[in-house]
Amino acid sequence: MNVLGRLQQLGRSFMLPMIALPAASIFLSLSVLPWDRIHLAQMADYLALASQAIFTFLPYIFAIGVALGMSGNAGTAGMAALVAMFIYKGITSAGNPDIEPTVMIGAIMGLVSGLSFERFKNIKLPEYIQFFGGPRFVPLFVSVFAVIFSSLMVGASDDIQSGLIRLGEIVDSAGGFGVFLYGFIHRILVVFGLHHLLNHVFWFQVGGYTAPDGTVAFGDLPRFFAGDPTAGSYMAGLYPTMMFALPAIALAIIQEAREDLKPKIRKTFLTAALASFLTGVTEPIEFAFLFVAPYLFVVHALLSGVMMWVTYELGIRHGFSFSAGAIDYVLNEHLATRGWLILPIGLVFGIIYYVLFRWAIRRFRIPTPGREEGSQLDEWAGDIPYRAPLILEAIGGKENIVQMEACITRLRLKVSNEKQLDINALRNLGAAGVIRLGGGHVQVVFGTFSELIKEEMNKVIRNGQSQVLFCSPMQGRMMPLEDVPDPIFAGKLVGQGVAFMPDKGELVSPVKGTVLMIYPTMHAIGIRTDVGLDVLLHIGIETSKLTDKGYFQAVVQEGETVMPGQLLIRFDLNRVRKASKSLATPMVITNSDMVKTWRFAPFKAVKKGQTSIMSVVLAERDGGGRSDD
């Protein structure tokens, strides 16, 4: 595995245990309510204890979370990490009672457990001790490691603790400029999904604080919730970005969209803006301009750093359990210092962002969604079960997937062959962006629906339904069959399917199959797939009368086996346009009774040979079995 790929996996693993932190924040906020007024005075103590328990056992949560993330959710790795933490606690308590497990220790145990699982899950031992082979060897190995590691930590813990505190002092000595650098680098790393690594250092390692009860908290986030008045400098400055700057960008994109596309763009980006404002999920907006204007993203990263610098210099200290959205802002305001100043600062920078992005989009003709050259986003959240097979095909099929995980906003994949990825198809299917990290490691940004998409893809893989996937037979715009200006095709009397409005005079095969027939005028061709589906491709409407050989030219013969994307017919686009009723080209399955369900990609612009534009699941045969691909 290459370095970026391993870091990507590690970053996702660090994010997994943080899912528990919002509960701690909510419990702590609820504990300050006047429960005694409804005769539940003890509830305040219970809620405070619940919050404290999560932070107390946070190292154990990180150990299990990192182990699961590094091993593909292997329970054996999680158990090994937990056993290692128990061993660490037992040995260090006996050797030096002042030593307490930290998040860093949990991360180390989780990392070792996850890597050990990947290394030893298939290990073979001599037959008489093979019981301890395979995954069962992992807890044994990690336990031995934990004993050695814990013994060393007994002697080195004081120096390490002093080092962490000293590191915090060094970082703090950089003042506002250090916070600026953090903010800038944080936004740049978001592109690669590696920002969790940076966050882990600053949020859970840098700086120490001894609470009144004697417990020591390390890192900006635990120190903030432990009551350290100096903590929160690496979190407060993120609030203006999430709550104001990104929604302002979304508003600018909406305002600069074409009038005919503005309603659709407004719906999509208002949802994205609300997600950023409330929960701090920013990728759907950031990826809308990242790939078309990377220089503008650099400006955005610089401004994010400036916002962090400003909040630091004004003495604002605020924190969060999950991300810098309005929900966390309200929940944790009672712990903040001068937190109210975030609102006017955010409003000012929101206006700056809105003016800057509207000017840049218009001045440099940036093809953001909704522009003439831009991508057209659509509302598709409810369509996930239908698009999942198409997304799977655009990735290259289940055979191309080595590993698949999902974080909050993106699918994190390792594929066998990156060349099998159809980037354009993935974008048409809802991806905001595709990032290649090398070594087969790929991230596909689908926003907050990524986890649902992964689950639906896993269902498709597990079910193994017999289905046929279609690629685009031409370059142009995909359209519903009902929009074809012909009652026979629009009424689906010939068969069910889709249609295309071509931009180029080439027709290619949408499937693997055998050419059944070519009409004498060569304006239509029939293909039978390996499972017996009969596919008719009909170029234009009322084109059967075009008998002149200058209109159409077939480059295949009847009986010939064709592959997806293989050229079938060339045609003179301009001549056919002038001589026919319409260029609309239906692609229908004439024996539609063989099909159980249909799945269609969004009706957008497509490229010739583009994968994942239509998928059908075959109906059961009379004998009860399913057809094979």
Side-chain angles (χ1 to χ4, degrees), residues 309-601:
W309 196 340
V310 169
T311 56
Y312 177 86
E313 295 296 343
L314 291 176
I316 302 170
R317 301 294 182 265
H318 209 314
F320 47 77
S321 59
F322 173 69
S323 190
I327 295 175
D328 257 306
Y329 176 84
V330 173
L331 286 175
N332 304 312
E333 171 60 20
H334 65 287
L335 299 173
T337 301
R338 309 188 76 187
W340 64 272
L341 283 174
I342 287 175
L343 300 180
I345 292 172
L347 286 171
V348 170
F349 275 95
I351 294 172
I352 293 173
Y353 264 81
Y354 175 76
V355 173
L356 173 64
F357 270 75
R358 282 207 68 177
W359 172 82
I361 291 171
R362 187 176 301 176
R363 172 67 177 80
F364 300 108
R365 298 181 180 179
I366 299 173
T368 51
R371 301 278 289 172
E372 186 69 32
E373 305 87 354
S375 60
Q376 301 176 21
L377 301 184
D378 63 318
E379 184 62 35
W380 62 282
D383 202 25
I384 291 174
Y386 297 98
R387 295 202 195 182
L390 301 177
I391 293 171
L392 181 62
E393 177 66 11
I395 291 170
K398 63 181 181 181
E399 297 81 8
N400 196 37
I401 297 177
V402 177
Q403 185 176 8
M404 177 171 62
E405 298 290 345
C407 66
I408 296 172
T409 59
R410 59 190 85 192
L411 288 178
R412 296 173 182 261
L413 305 163
K414 184 177 181 183
V415 298
S416 299
N417 186 356
E418 290 187 36
K419 292 181 180 180
Q420 293 186 26
L421 295 171
D422 192 325
I423 306 299
N424 196 63
L426 287 169
R427 288 183 181 276
N428 271 10
L429 289 165
V434 179
I435 305 166
R436 303 186 189 206
L437 299 176
H441 293 278
V442 179
Q443 297 176 359
V444 187
V445 181
F446 280 109
T448 52
F449 300 111
S450 297
E451 184 69 36
L452 296 176
I453 293 171
K454 186 198 81 170
E455 291 303 318
E456 289 297 331
M457 289 171 62
N458 280 331
K459 287 181 183 178
V460 174
I461 294 173
R462 288 195 300 267
N463 292 341
Q465 291 177 314
S466 181
Q467 59 182 329
V468 180
L469 295 140
F470 291 74
C471 68
S472 174
M474 54 179 44
Q475 177 176 306
R477 180 173 58 85
M478 184 172 160
M479 55 191 288
L481 195 61
E482 294 85 348
D483 291 350
V484 174
D486 180 88
I488 302 298
F489 283 111
K492 301 178 183 177
L493 300 180
V494 179
Q496 168 71 294
V498 292
F500 302 85
M501 190 64 69
D503 293 337
K504 191 176 181 181
E506 291 183 340
L507 181 76
V508 302
S509 178
V511 290
K512 177 185 178 182
T514 303
V515 178
L516 277 182
M517 55 83 184
I518 302 174
Y519 280 76
T521 54
M522 293 180 283
H523 73 288
I525 187 171
I527 300 173
R528 176 167 291 171
T529 70
D530 295 342
V531 294
L533 289 180
D534 291 335
V535 183
L536 172 66
L537 297 156
H538 191 286
I539 304 173
I541 302 301
E542 296 184 3
T543 50
S544 59
K545 62 184 179 181
L546 306 180
T547 56
D548 188 335
K549 293 184 178 179
Y551 286 103
F552 305 97
Q553 179 184 1
V555 296
V556 293
Q557 297 178 351
E558 292 182 359
E560 184 175 340
T561 299
V562 293
M563 303 299 292
Q566 181 176 336
L567 182 63
L568 302 175
I569 298 173
R570 289 192 179 95
F571 58 96
D572 191 320
L573 186 70
N574 292 327
R575 289 189 65 192
V576 174
R577 179 186 286 116
K578 293 177 182 178
S580 64
K581 180 179 179 180
S582 171
L583 281 174
T585 300
M587 178 181 74
V588 298
I589 297 176
T590 56
N591 53 348
S592 298
D593 58 308
M594 289 188 62
V595 178
K596 179 181 179 181
T597 59
W598 302 74
R599 296 179 173 102
F600 303 101

Side-chain angles (χ1 to χ4, degrees), residues 11 67 108 113 144 155 162 209 219 229 298 355 409 436 440 475 477 485 598 611:
I108 291 173
S113 300
V144 173
S162 300
Y209 170 70
V298 174
V355 173
T409 59
R436 303 186 189 206
Q475 177 176 306
R477 180 173 58 85
W598 302 74
T611 60

